[in-house]
Amino acid sequence: MPASPSTARAINDRLALRLLQREGPLTAGQLKQLTGLSRPTVADLVERLTDAGLITVVGEAGEQRRGPNARLYGIVADRAHLAALDVRTEGVSVAVSDLIGTVLAEASVPIGDDTGTGPAVERAVALVERAVKEAGADRPHTVGIGAPGLIDPASGDLRDSSGLPSWHRGLVATLQERFPEARVSVENETNLAALAEQRDGAARDRDTFVLLWLGHGTGAAVVLDGALRRGASGGTGEIGFLPVPGTTGLPSATDCAGGFHSLAGSAAIARLAAEHGLPAADAHAPAAARLVEEAVARPGDAQAFLDALADRIALGVASVVAVLDPGCVVLGGEVGQAGGPPLAALVEERVRRMSPLPVEVRPSALGGTAVLRGALLTARDRAQEVLFAPPGR
């Protein structure tokens, strides 16, 4: 059945807005060329979107052109402000952007293990409020949160997980209370990192890939045919619990010690480096990443360490490849980015010896910033779904 006039207008409007989001400011003539719509139809949609406060004239195209046909139209960036949070076990990072994704303010705050739940939540919420104010906004339209742990696929809530700070769940609820008009959503941190690598990073040319997160902990995100897969309980990619050889025992339902985490988490990497005579480092992800980065920079002195680390990472990658055959695995997180192409090549070489399935192993292009970037992209998508929706929806 042919679309009704109102439905056709809504479809055309959404198409134009998506093009303006992707391409940046465009003239009416460029919109006509890119959409394939007639000149009168483009003129009508430009008028509708301008009247709705969604687009505005932002300049003119070309120094020699003047007049209505040269007007450049762009999305009204300050129509909404978005907040993104990267919630870690040891602190929170925040970014606030406008509707087209330009970051206007960034901030972070450490939160120690000895900080109580109430003070920890208040410190994190205050950080968000300051960043929003610094960005020139009264409140965020949409808030995207990346956090470790399982997300309930039915409710979208962060599930209570052993080993994670209790203030994580309290933060999500408090943000919704403090910003009652905002749309607050939470997603697993590794899933958000995969989204960022797919849009802006190492997997831009891949519809199917797996991101293996290597940071303070380990995790994996699975993207098949362009879609993120979460699993029946939201636990797809909990690779830290994967039983592997080389550990002192087996993981349990409440503790990933003995699983892949015990081989490739930041504390395990620090211990491995010490065993190979490298300088001692603490167990946090930035320190482990520095160890790997320095080892890559002087492989002659640290080649044995890099080889041993690649052996460990290859166990996790080979397991993923055997089950999913993704064709591409991105080594994400701070450690994956620090290892760069040299570590990725070492891992790929080992996996090819262990598996008959072809796989390309790539280093992260975004590293530890991928979670915050993914949270911001998710917030932008959800805000635009609401603001770009046809009237009355």
Side-chain angles (χ1 to χ4, degrees), residues 183-220:
R183 291 157 179 82
V184 179
S185 63
V186 61
E187 176 62 272
N188 175 267
E189 59 178 356
T190 308
N191 288 344
L192 290 178
L195 172 64
E197 294 285 359
Q198 185 183 31
R199 297 269 195 95
D200 300 329
R204 281 174 292 185
D205 60 336
R206 291 281 181 167
D207 288 332
T208 295
F209 72 99
V210 169
L211 173 82
L212 180 62
W213 182 268
L214 300 170
H216 181 70
T218 58

Short mmCIF file of all heavy atoms in Angstrom, two decimals, residues 183-220:
data_model
loop_
_atom_site.label_atom_id
_atom_site.label_comp_id
_atom_site.label_asym_id
_atom_site.label_seq_id
_atom_site.Cartn_x
_atom_site.Cartn_y
_atom_site.Cartn_z
N ARG A 183 15.98 11.00 29.74
CA ARG A 183 15.91 9.57 29.44
C ARG A 183 17.26 8.96 29.80
O ARG A 183 18.25 9.22 29.13
CB ARG A 183 15.59 9.36 27.95
CG ARG A 183 14.19 9.79 27.60
CD ARG A 183 14.01 10.12 26.12
NE ARG A 183 12.64 10.50 25.84
CZ ARG A 183 12.14 11.71 26.05
NH1 ARG A 183 12.93 12.65 26.52
NH2 ARG A 183 10.89 11.97 25.77
N VAL A 184 17.26 8.18 30.85
CA VAL A 184 18.50 7.59 31.38
C VAL A 184 18.53 6.11 31.02
O VAL A 184 17.58 5.39 31.29
CB VAL A 184 18.58 7.77 32.91
CG1 VAL A 184 19.87 7.14 33.44
CG2 VAL A 184 18.51 9.24 33.29
N SER A 185 19.62 5.67 30.42
CA SER A 185 19.77 4.26 30.06
C SER A 185 21.18 3.81 30.40
O SER A 185 22.13 4.60 30.41
CB SER A 185 19.48 4.02 28.58
OG SER A 185 20.42 4.73 27.77
N VAL A 186 21.31 2.52 30.70
CA VAL A 186 22.61 1.95 31.06
C VAL A 186 22.89 0.75 30.16
O VAL A 186 21.98 0.01 29.79
CB VAL A 186 22.64 1.54 32.56
CG1 VAL A 186 21.59 0.50 32.87
CG2 VAL A 186 24.02 1.06 32.96
N GLU A 187 24.16 0.61 29.77
CA GLU A 187 24.58 -0.48 28.90
C GLU A 187 25.92 -1.00 29.39
O GLU A 187 26.70 -0.27 30.00
CB GLU A 187 24.69 0.02 27.45
CG GLU A 187 25.19 -0.99 26.44
CD GLU A 187 24.29 -2.20 26.30
OE1 GLU A 187 24.50 -3.16 27.08
OE2 GLU A 187 23.39 -2.17 25.45
N ASN A 188 26.17 -2.27 29.16
CA ASN A 188 27.46 -2.85 29.50
C ASN A 188 28.58 -2.08 28.82
O ASN A 188 28.49 -1.75 27.64
CB ASN A 188 27.50 -4.32 29.10
CG ASN A 188 28.85 -4.95 29.31
OD1 ASN A 188 29.66 -4.98 28.39
ND2 ASN A 188 29.11 -5.43 30.50
N GLU A 189 29.65 -1.82 29.54
CA GLU A 189 30.73 -0.99 29.04
C GLU A 189 31.39 -1.55 27.78
O GLU A 189 31.74 -0.81 26.85
CB GLU A 189 31.79 -0.79 30.13
CG GLU A 189 32.39 -2.08 30.64
CD GLU A 189 33.46 -1.86 31.70
OE1 GLU A 189 33.80 -0.70 31.98
OE2 GLU A 189 33.97 -2.87 32.23
N THR A 190 31.55 -2.87 27.73
CA THR A 190 32.22 -3.48 26.57
C THR A 190 31.34 -3.38 25.33
O THR A 190 31.83 -3.17 24.22
CB THR A 190 32.57 -4.94 26.86
OG1 THR A 190 33.30 -5.01 28.09
CG2 THR A 190 33.44 -5.52 25.76
N ASN A 191 30.03 -3.50 25.51
CA ASN A 191 29.11 -3.33 24.38
C ASN A 191 29.21 -1.92 23.81
O ASN A 191 29.19 -1.72 22.59
CB ASN A 191 27.67 -3.62 24.81
CG ASN A 191 27.42 -5.10 25.05
OD1 ASN A 191 28.21 -5.94 24.62
ND2 ASN A 191 26.33 -5.41 25.72
N LEU A 192 29.30 -0.93 24.69
CA LEU A 192 29.43 0.45 24.22
C LEU A 192 30.76 0.67 23.51
O LEU A 192 30.83 1.41 22.52
CB LEU A 192 29.28 1.43 25.39
CG LEU A 192 27.89 1.53 26.01
CD1 LEU A 192 27.91 2.49 27.20
CD2 LEU A 192 26.87 2.00 24.97
N ALA A 193 31.81 0.05 24.02
CA ALA A 193 33.11 0.17 23.36
C ALA A 193 33.05 -0.41 21.96
O ALA A 193 33.62 0.15 21.01
CB ALA A 193 34.19 -0.53 24.19
N ALA A 194 32.34 -1.53 21.80
CA ALA A 194 32.21 -2.13 20.47
C ALA A 194 31.44 -1.21 19.53
O ALA A 194 31.79 -1.07 18.35
CB ALA A 194 31.50 -3.48 20.58
N LEU A 195 30.38 -0.58 20.04
CA LEU A 195 29.63 0.37 19.22
C LEU A 195 30.52 1.50 18.74
O LEU A 195 30.48 1.90 17.56
CB LEU A 195 28.46 0.93 20.03
CG LEU A 195 27.67 2.07 19.39
CD1 LEU A 195 26.99 1.61 18.11
CD2 LEU A 195 26.64 2.63 20.37
N ALA A 196 31.37 2.02 19.63
CA ALA A 196 32.26 3.11 19.26
C ALA A 196 33.30 2.66 18.23
O ALA A 196 33.59 3.38 17.27
CB ALA A 196 32.96 3.66 20.51
N GLU A 197 33.85 1.46 18.41
CA GLU A 197 34.83 0.95 17.44
C GLU A 197 34.16 0.70 16.09
O GLU A 197 34.78 0.88 15.04
CB GLU A 197 35.46 -0.34 17.96
CG GLU A 197 36.33 -0.18 19.20
CD GLU A 197 37.68 0.47 18.94
OE1 GLU A 197 37.99 0.80 17.78
OE2 GLU A 197 38.43 0.66 19.93
N GLN A 198 32.89 0.30 16.09
CA GLN A 198 32.17 0.06 14.84
C GLN A 198 31.88 1.37 14.11
O GLN A 198 31.97 1.45 12.89
CB GLN A 198 30.86 -0.68 15.13
CG GLN A 198 30.08 -1.08 13.89
CD GLN A 198 28.77 -1.75 14.25
OE1 GLN A 198 28.15 -1.44 15.27
NE2 GLN A 198 28.34 -2.68 13.42
N ARG A 199 31.52 2.40 14.84
CA ARG A 199 31.18 3.68 14.23
C ARG A 199 32.41 4.50 13.88
O ARG A 199 32.48 5.09 12.79
CB ARG A 199 30.32 4.50 15.19
CG ARG A 199 28.96 3.88 15.53
CD ARG A 199 27.87 4.33 14.58
NE ARG A 199 26.58 4.00 15.14
CZ ARG A 199 25.84 4.85 15.85
NH1 ARG A 199 26.25 6.08 16.07
NH2 ARG A 199 24.67 4.47 16.33
N ASP A 200 33.36 4.57 14.82
CA ASP A 200 34.46 5.53 14.68
C ASP A 200 35.85 4.93 14.81
O ASP A 200 36.84 5.66 14.77
CB ASP A 200 34.34 6.63 15.76
CG ASP A 200 33.04 7.39 15.67
OD1 ASP A 200 32.50 7.54 14.56
OD2 ASP A 200 32.54 7.85 16.73
N GLY A 201 35.95 3.61 14.99
CA GLY A 201 37.25 3.05 15.30
C GLY A 201 37.71 1.94 14.39
O GLY A 201 37.60 2.02 13.15
N ALA A 202 38.22 0.87 14.99
CA ALA A 202 38.93 -0.16 14.24
C ALA A 202 38.03 -1.09 13.44
O ALA A 202 38.53 -1.84 12.61
CB ALA A 202 39.77 -1.00 15.22
N ALA A 203 36.72 -1.07 13.67
CA ALA A 203 35.81 -2.00 13.00
C ALA A 203 34.83 -1.30 12.07
O ALA A 203 33.74 -1.81 11.80
CB ALA A 203 35.05 -2.83 14.03
N ARG A 204 35.22 -0.15 11.55
CA ARG A 204 34.29 0.62 10.69
C ARG A 204 33.92 -0.12 9.41
O ARG A 204 32.87 0.15 8.84
CB ARG A 204 34.92 1.97 10.34
CG ARG A 204 34.84 2.99 11.46
CD ARG A 204 35.60 4.25 11.13
NE ARG A 204 37.04 3.99 11.11
CZ ARG A 204 37.96 4.93 10.95
NH1 ARG A 204 37.60 6.18 10.77
NH2 ARG A 204 39.24 4.61 10.96
N ASP A 205 34.76 -1.04 8.98
CA ASP A 205 34.49 -1.77 7.73
C ASP A 205 33.93 -3.16 7.99
O ASP A 205 33.85 -3.98 7.08
CB ASP A 205 35.77 -1.89 6.91
CG ASP A 205 36.87 -2.65 7.66
OD1 ASP A 205 36.82 -2.68 8.91
OD2 ASP A 205 37.77 -3.20 7.00
N ARG A 206 33.48 -3.43 9.23
CA ARG A 206 33.04 -4.77 9.59
C ARG A 206 31.60 -4.76 10.11
O ARG A 206 31.27 -3.98 11.00
CB ARG A 206 33.95 -5.36 10.68
CG ARG A 206 35.35 -5.67 10.21
CD ARG A 206 35.38 -6.97 9.44
NE ARG A 206 36.74 -7.30 9.00
CZ ARG A 206 37.08 -8.49 8.54
NH1 ARG A 206 36.18 -9.47 8.49
NH2 ARG A 206 38.31 -8.71 8.12
N ASP A 207 30.76 -5.65 9.56
CA ASP A 207 29.42 -5.87 10.11
C ASP A 207 29.43 -6.95 11.18
O ASP A 207 28.52 -7.03 12.00
CB ASP A 207 28.44 -6.26 9.00
CG ASP A 207 28.10 -5.10 8.09
OD1 ASP A 207 28.15 -3.95 8.57
OD2 ASP A 207 27.82 -5.33 6.91
N THR A 208 30.43 -7.82 11.12
CA THR A 208 30.56 -8.91 12.09
C THR A 208 31.97 -8.88 12.68
O THR A 208 32.95 -8.93 11.94
CB THR A 208 30.29 -10.27 11.42
OG1 THR A 208 28.92 -10.33 10.99
CG2 THR A 208 30.56 -11.42 12.38
N PHE A 209 32.04 -8.78 14.00
CA PHE A 209 33.33 -8.78 14.69
C PHE A 209 33.10 -8.98 16.18
O PHE A 209 31.96 -8.90 16.67
CB PHE A 209 34.11 -7.48 14.44
CG PHE A 209 33.55 -6.27 15.15
CD1 PHE A 209 34.09 -5.82 16.35
CD2 PHE A 209 32.47 -5.58 14.62
CE1 PHE A 209 33.58 -4.71 17.00
CE2 PHE A 209 31.94 -4.46 15.26
CZ PHE A 209 32.50 -4.02 16.45
N VAL A 210 34.17 -9.25 16.90
CA VAL A 210 34.13 -9.34 18.35
C VAL A 210 35.15 -8.38 18.92
O VAL A 210 36.29 -8.32 18.43
CB VAL A 210 34.42 -10.78 18.84
CG1 VAL A 210 34.65 -10.80 20.35
CG2 VAL A 210 33.28 -11.71 18.47
N LEU A 211 34.74 -7.60 19.91
CA LEU A 211 35.67 -6.75 20.64
C LEU A 211 36.07 -7.49 21.92
O LEU A 211 35.20 -7.85 22.72
CB LEU A 211 35.03 -5.42 21.00
CG LEU A 211 35.89 -4.54 21.92
CD1 LEU A 211 36.93 -3.79 21.09
CD2 LEU A 211 35.07 -3.57 22.71
N LEU A 212 37.35 -7.73 22.10
CA LEU A 212 37.87 -8.32 23.33
C LEU A 212 38.43 -7.20 24.18
O LEU A 212 39.44 -6.58 23.82
CB LEU A 212 38.95 -9.35 23.01
CG LEU A 212 39.59 -10.05 24.22
CD1 LEU A 212 38.55 -10.84 25.00
CD2 LEU A 212 40.73 -10.96 23.78
N TRP A 213 37.75 -6.90 25.30
CA TRP A 213 38.17 -5.80 26.17
C TRP A 213 39.29 -6.26 27.09
O TRP A 213 39.15 -7.26 27.80
CB TRP A 213 36.98 -5.31 26.99
CG TRP A 213 37.32 -4.15 27.88
CD1 TRP A 213 37.73 -4.19 29.18
CD2 TRP A 213 37.31 -2.76 27.51
NE1 TRP A 213 37.96 -2.92 29.64
CE2 TRP A 213 37.71 -2.02 28.64
CE3 TRP A 213 36.98 -2.09 26.33
CZ2 TRP A 213 37.80 -0.64 28.63
CZ3 TRP A 213 37.08 -0.70 26.33
CH2 TRP A 213 37.47 0.01 27.46
N LEU A 214 40.39 -5.53 27.08
CA LEU A 214 41.54 -5.82 27.93
C LEU A 214 41.86 -4.56 28.73
O LEU A 214 42.48 -3.62 28.23
CB LEU A 214 42.74 -6.23 27.07
CG LEU A 214 42.55 -7.47 26.19
CD1 LEU A 214 43.71 -7.62 25.23
CD2 LEU A 214 42.41 -8.72 27.06
N GLY A 215 41.39 -4.55 29.95
CA GLY A 215 41.62 -3.40 30.82
C GLY A 215 41.80 -3.88 32.24
O GLY A 215 42.51 -4.85 32.49
N HIS A 216 41.15 -3.21 33.19
CA HIS A 216 41.20 -3.68 34.57
C HIS A 216 40.66 -5.11 34.64
O HIS A 216 41.22 -5.97 35.30
CB HIS A 216 40.37 -2.77 35.47
CG HIS A 216 40.39 -3.19 36.91
ND1 HIS A 216 41.50 -3.08 37.70
CD2 HIS A 216 39.42 -3.75 37.69
CE1 HIS A 216 41.23 -3.55 38.91
NE2 HIS A 216 39.97 -3.96 38.93
N GLY A 217 39.56 -5.36 33.93
CA GLY A 217 39.02 -6.70 33.77
C GLY A 217 38.99 -7.06 32.30
O GLY A 217 39.54 -6.36 31.45
N THR A 218 38.35 -8.19 32.00
CA THR A 218 38.22 -8.62 30.62
C THR A 218 36.75 -8.79 30.28
O THR A 218 35.93 -9.06 31.14
CB THR A 218 38.94 -9.97 30.40
OG1 THR A 218 38.39 -10.95 31.28
CG2 THR A 218 40.43 -9.84 30.64
N GLY A 219 36.46 -8.62 29.03
CA GLY A 219 35.08 -8.80 28.55
C GLY A 219 35.10 -8.91 27.04
O GLY A 219 36.14 -8.72 26.40
N ALA A 220 33.96 -9.22 26.48
CA ALA A 220 33.85 -9.30 25.03
C ALA A 220 32.49 -8.78 24.61
O ALA A 220 31.50 -8.92 25.34
CB ALA A 220 34.05 -10.73 24.54
#
